[in-house]
Amino acid sequence: MARMNLLQAVNNALTIAMEQDERVMVFGEDVGHFGGVFRATSHLQEKFGKPRCFNTPLTEQGIIGFANGLAAQGAVPVAEIQFGDYIFPAFDQIVNETAKFRYRSGGQFSCGTLTIRTPYGGGIAGGHYHSQSPEAFFAHCPGLKIVIPRDPYQAKGLLLASIRDDNPVLFMEPKRLYRASVADVPEDDFELPLGKADLVQEGRDITLVGWGAQVEILQKAAQMSLQDGISCEVIDLRSILPWDRLMVAESVMKTGRLLINHEAPLTGGFASEIAAAIQEQCFLYLEAPIARVCGLDTPYPLAHEKEYMPDEYKTYEAIKRTMTY
Amino acid sequence: MQDRNHLARVKATHQVEVIENGLIDIPMLQILQSDGTLHPGASAPPLSQDVAVKILHTMQYIRILDERMIAAQRQGRISFYLACTGEEAAAVGSVAALSDQDMIMSQYREQGALAYRGYSTAQFMNQMFSNQLDPNKGRQMPIHYGDKALNFMTISSPLATQIPQAAGYAYGQKMAGNDAITICYFGEGAASEGDFHAGLNMAAVLNCPVVFFCRNNGYAISTPAEEQFAGDGIASRGIGYGIKTIRVDGNDVLAVYAATQEARRIAVEQRCPVLIEAMSYRLAAHSTSDDPSGYRSRDEEDKWRAKDPVARMIHWLDSQGWFDESQNSKWLEQSRQEVLAALKEAEKVPVNPIEDIVEDVYDSVPWHLSAQLEQLKSHIKKYPEVYPKTSGRVK
């Protein structure tokens, strides 16, 4: 065990993956000698050489197009998009190419070895273009996996699993936790399963579902609710696509209530998918409407960041509303 | 830290100087004249009789296939087709200059490259009829070929996406330490996409052994080249990216062959990209969904028909004593029969069973897709007459 923050855990996972498989290559904007704008790729070029850890020109569609070709060739690319906000120039490559490569070729070719890492999320005074949470755009795209860790331990285990998974994975890192979240992380190689949610905290009265940095918000709201005698079950979804409907449904059948929280805007956010699927499966168990506590349907604001965020107070209020419905 | 001075190559001037288009004059390599003799000062690339005849046969075969399949589409037997009439020399001449180990990443008008590699008539047909023998499992539109064994990457419709992919593929080949390269085909219209810029720049900066092969055929559907770009074609851009560049007469198969051979040599030896711009003309309609009479003249087409790459190659082979008219006619007739027979055969092969609809989305079928498949199957069982292609085999 070693104390690591989330960035160190990512760096440690990349180091292990590169040591263990020489086909693993890490690239993107400023990831080379400099080690990345957040330093997630520090010392990788030094350790593994420039051909395996390198800067690319400043072109997101180029980075992912290049990564698709590299993956199809049999290498194991781990491409970095500097901010999730800048992934959209690569949207065509990801949605039309990466995700459909295997299906359209009848399994002859695939981008299964590709992992795309990108920092996402707000809470760092990042304004419109350093705060977005674009997971729902990609959740609508069959062929991709989407994974979001909540802390350093999860980050290392899930990133190693993502790199080795034989499907393209969009790995989104909550950047407000990069240095804020510190945990004991095994120094050895280990993996956490993709597509499986994690039961963070057991409870009786209501199920709270979230992912990434918002899991901490759910835990705080659960703590606040405890003073009102409300017992919350907290689930970290971890994988957005495919997502663990079984665990959420089982929990809701027990508690009878569900609240979903995400930073991204409400309309078309992934909470809509969860809410629809759970009301379909758990209709007779639900004792209140499913609550969604999300970002507003606005671009991510700067001055009103605090007001925009689906924080623990908004979550706490929604828990009480749901409990007293 | 290393001192990097990007101004090192820049020459100073002390008067305002405007650099204009046309200052770099990129010539077009021509070897064969239309009568099959060599241009003065040109020499034919070394080419055995076998290879030369294979090149001709492949071009002729594609012409037969194109004619037959356009007719099949008109008859409603396949949903879509896309011919390469007039441009056969570009794909066939270039692939002939490559190693079979080299990866081909194509746009969609390069069926000649695939035929040259050995894709069989049956394989062409199975793909176009999207039957259960199609390696794409019937999932993509006709002409979206792909064959792993022949190192031909499966085609996709979004234009230019294969250009940065080719850079990445070639980088992987270089890292794997083999001498194979990647050739990447695209049209002059696709070269206006952002992925062209991304791909060429990345290939140049990251030293990828890839040959970018642009078929400049004058049109992107109805859009003529002068509405596509204002510069000196696509070749001039290669220079801007620091990429070694050749412009070639795309209707001159010897010139295409010679240019590609040189491009491949450079890519292998110097581990860097090369750009080839082949100047040609799209004599075919863009596709079976297009009628070119709405945007160009018969006269213009006739002018290019006179520059037919197939006729030019026949003249040259004849001058080498390698062409036999009656044998060739017999071969043409055989090929027509073969195409027709394969078409009838492929038409009879059923599509894949319905289970296939959820395969290959991921490496294994996830829970939600299994659930959706079960739901679909019970629906088909309830209304078998509505889904005749699959209902007979739903268990």
Side-chain angles (χ1 to χ4, degrees):
Chain A
M1 287 287 179
R3 292 297 282 176
M4 289 185 201
N5 65 29
L6 206 150
L7 276 169
Q8 289 164 331
V10 166
N11 185 264
N12 183 245
L14 291 171
T15 306
I16 289 172
M18 291 180 88
E19 275 166 356
Q20 186 253 342
D21 184 349
E22 63 172 19
R23 300 173 307 150
V24 178
M25 291 171 216
V26 171
F27 52 90
E29 294 157 13
D30 305 299
V31 307
H33 175 75
F34 180 61
V37 293
F38 291 103
R39 321 315 302 268
T41 58
S42 287
H43 305 299
L44 296 181
Q45 189 176 84
E46 211 172 297
K47 281 181 196 148
F48 301 102
K50 204 172 168 183
R52 289 185 61 199
C53 176
F54 51 93
N55 287 339
T56 65
L58 208 163
T59 166
E60 286 77 15
Q61 68 194 94
I63 291 167
I64 303 303
F66 185 91
N68 283 338
L70 199 51
Q73 191 273 336
V76 185
V78 184
E80 179 178 305
I81 298 293
Q82 202 160 74
F83 287 85
D85 312 68
Y86 305 125
I87 203 167
F88 300 109
F91 198 74
D92 182 47
Q93 281 286 348
I94 296 171
V95 171
N96 275 331
E97 298 291 317
T98 310
K100 296 173 177 57
F101 226 91
R102 189 196 314 261
Y103 192 71
R104 74 184 185 205
S105 69
Q108 293 189 88
F109 299 98
S110 95
C111 294
T113 55
L114 172 59
T115 304
I116 302 168
R117 287 182 43 245
T118 192
Y120 86 97
I124 61 146
H128 294 348
Y129 307 113
H130 300 82
S131 308
Q132 292 179 57
S133 300
E135 66 272 17
F137 287 103
F138 295 98
H140 195 55
C141 181
L144 286 184
K145 289 190 177 183
I146 305 170
V147 176
I148 307 182
R150 72 171 185 273
D151 66 22
Y153 172 79
Q154 299 284 329
K156 179 175 175 181
L158 290 170
L159 181 55
L160 279 167
S162 297
I163 292 170
R164 291 155 183 171
D165 189 85
D166 196 19
N167 296 285
V169 180
L170 177 57
F171 190 85
M172 298 172 58
E173 298 163 6
K175 63 179 160 311
R176 89 166 180 259
L177 301 187
Y178 264 160
R179 291 190 171 78
S181 179
V182 179
D184 287 328
V185 180
E187 285 162 289
D188 292 344
D189 195 340
F190 73 97
E191 293 178 25
L192 294 171
L194 306 189
K196 295 267 176 255
D198 186 42
L199 184 61
V200 178
Q201 167 184 322
E202 281 191 66
R204 285 184 316 275
D205 301 325
I206 181 169
T207 304
L208 312 183
V209 172
W211 48 89
Q214 291 305 100
V215 175
E216 194 182 19
I217 301 295
L218 294 180
Q219 287 176 286
K220 284 181 185 165
Q223 194 59 38
M224 289 161 79
S225 305
L226 202 56
Q227 291 158 12
D228 300 315
I230 304 168
S231 158
C232 299
E233 181 142 304
V234 178
I235 294 176
D236 173 8
L237 204 59
R238 293 200 295 201
S239 282
I240 304 296
L241 188 69
W243 64 287
D244 191 349
R245 192 176 69 183
L246 187 66
M247 181 186 282
V248 178
E250 276 176 358
S251 172
V252 172
M253 285 191 257
K254 181 178 75 178
T255 62
R257 293 179 180 83
L258 174 62
L259 178 151
I260 311 148
N261 172 306
H262 59 61
E263 267 180 56
L266 175 76
T267 303
F270 196 67
S272 314
E273 175 57 31
I274 298 172
I278 294 302
Q279 74 82 25
E280 197 172 52
Q281 193 171 342
C282 308
F283 189 71
L284 296 176
Y285 297 83
L286 284 169
E287 290 172 41
I290 296 168
R292 290 179 292 161
V293 182
C294 305
L296 272 60
D297 286 339
T298 64
Y300 196 100
L302 182 67
H304 290 144
E305 176 168 53
K306 176 84 182 129
E307 288 73 14
Y308 170 92
M309 285 292 264
D311 63 9
E312 59 268 35
Y313 292 92
K314 292 179 184 174
T315 308
Y316 170 60
E317 282 305 311
I319 290 170
K320 286 194 295 185
R321 275 199 305 275
T322 306
M323 289 308 299
T324 56
Y325 181 80
Chain B
M1 194 154 306
Q2 197 185 331
D3 184 27
R4 294 182 181 89
N5 184 359
H6 68 284
L7 293 179
R9 282 187 296 193
V10 177
K11 182 184 75 175
T13 179
H14 307 294
Q15 306 297 326
V16 177
E17 270 186 63
V18 177
I19 311 301
E20 290 186 48
N21 194 12
L23 212 67
I24 318 166
D25 230 348
I26 303 173
M28 177 170 80
L29 172 69
Q30 292 186 311
I31 292 177
L32 270 185
Q33 307 195 78
S34 49
D35 64 359
T37 60
L38 301 182
H39 279 281
S43 53
L47 208 57
S48 69
Q49 181 176 348
D50 284 355
V51 171
V53 169
K54 184 178 173 186
I55 288 173
L56 174 69
H57 276 177
T58 308
M59 292 198 290
Q60 290 179 317
Y61 169 82
I62 287 302
R63 198 159 281 189
I64 290 166
L65 184 72
D66 282 356
E67 282 169 7
R68 188 67 212 101
M69 298 321 291
I70 288 171
Q73 194 279 335
R74 295 269 178 267
Q75 294 161 342
R77 293 160 86 175
I78 55 170
S79 56
F80 178 79
Y81 194 73
L82 193 149
C84 68
T85 317
E87 297 180 68
E88 294 89 347
V92 179
S94 53
V95 158
L98 301 180
S99 149
D100 283 351
Q101 301 314 304
D102 296 337
M103 172 52 73
I104 301 171
M105 296 176 80
S106 104
Q107 178 166 301
Y108 49 51
R109 211 181 295 283
E110 294 90 4
Q111 51 267 58
L114 196 47
Y116 190 89
R117 279 275 170 96
Y119 207 58
S120 71
T121 307
Q123 286 175 300
F124 275 111
M125 291 300 166
N126 291 332
Q127 197 285 325
M128 284 185 274
F129 281 93
S130 37
N131 66 28
Q132 66 178 11
L133 299 175
D134 167 18
N136 298 344
K137 304 185 182 172
R139 291 171 184 153
Q140 287 214 78
M141 283 172 78
I143 66 100
H144 292 61
Y145 309 112
D147 193 294
K148 182 136 187 157
L150 296 179
N151 291 314
F152 189 98
M153 180 66 74
T154 303
I155 293 167
S156 73
S157 306
L159 287 182
T161 49
Q162 80 278 18
I163 302 175
Q165 290 171 11
Y169 200 97
Y171 190 87
Q173 289 171 311
K174 181 173 82 167
M175 290 293 285
N178 54 42
D179 272 346
I181 65 146
T182 296
I183 190 164
C184 176
Y185 295 99
F186 51 91
E188 89 288 348
S192 296
E193 293 283 1
D195 272 341
F196 167 88
H197 159 68
L200 268 73
N201 194 39
M202 290 199 67
V205 170
L206 297 169
N207 303 308
C208 306
V210 52
V211 174
F212 294 114
F213 192 106
C214 178
R215 292 176 297 93
N216 185 343
N217 63 13
Y219 286 92
I221 308 186
S222 75
T223 305
E226 66 263 26
E227 293 174 24
Q228 198 64 247
F229 48 76
D232 180 15
I234 309 305
S236 63
R237 300 183 200 165
I239 308 301
Y241 289 113
I243 292 178
K244 295 176 170 67
T245 299
I246 310 171
R247 173 175 281 157
V248 62
D249 181 344
N251 287 26
D252 174 350
V253 75
L254 293 192
V256 171
Y257 181 86
T260 312
Q261 208 171 37
E262 178 62 6
R264 185 181 193 278
R265 187 190 65 76
I266 293 168
V268 169
E269 287 176 10
Q270 300 175 30
R271 295 289 172 199
C272 69
V274 181
L275 172 65
I276 297 174
E277 181 184 25
M279 312 304 286
S280 186
Y281 186 83
R282 197 198 72 213
L283 269 177
H286 164 68
S287 74
T288 47
S289 314
D290 170 52
D291 173 13
S293 68
Y295 52 83
R296 68 189 191 190
S297 71
R298 188 97 208 166
D299 274 5
E300 182 185 294
E301 291 179 8
D302 287 343
K303 238 181 272 166
W304 280 92
R305 223 164 256 126
K307 298 182 185 181
D308 182 8
V310 177
R312 211 187 291 192
M313 183 60 168
I314 289 177
H315 289 314
W316 182 73
L317 285 169
D318 203 22
S319 73
Q320 304 298 298
W322 291 348
F323 184 75
D324 180 323
E325 178 72 55
S326 72
Q327 237 177 26
N328 194 58
S329 305
K330 225 180 285 169
W331 184 87
L332 289 174
E333 190 44 38
Q334 267 171 19
S335 300
R336 284 192 195 97
Q337 293 306 325
E338 180 189 312
V339 167
L340 196 62
L343 188 156
K344 287 179 178 163
E345 199 58 39
E347 219 167 13
K348 286 185 285 193
V349 179
V351 300
N352 263 308
I354 193 62
E355 285 76 9
D356 183 69
I357 201 169
V358 298
E359 296 280 341
D360 300 322
V361 179
Y362 295 94
D363 59 342
S364 57
V365 181
W367 65 268
H368 64 296
L369 289 184
S370 303
Q372 289 169 24
L373 175 65
E374 286 317 307
Q375 210 171 20
L376 176 60
K377 278 163 73 174
S378 52
H379 176 78
I380 293 172
K381 270 193 265 186
K382 194 165 179 193
Y383 295 98
E385 67 289 351
V386 182
Y387 309 96
K389 278 188 184 174
T390 50
S391 53
R393 284 184 289 172
V394 174
K395 289 179 278 292

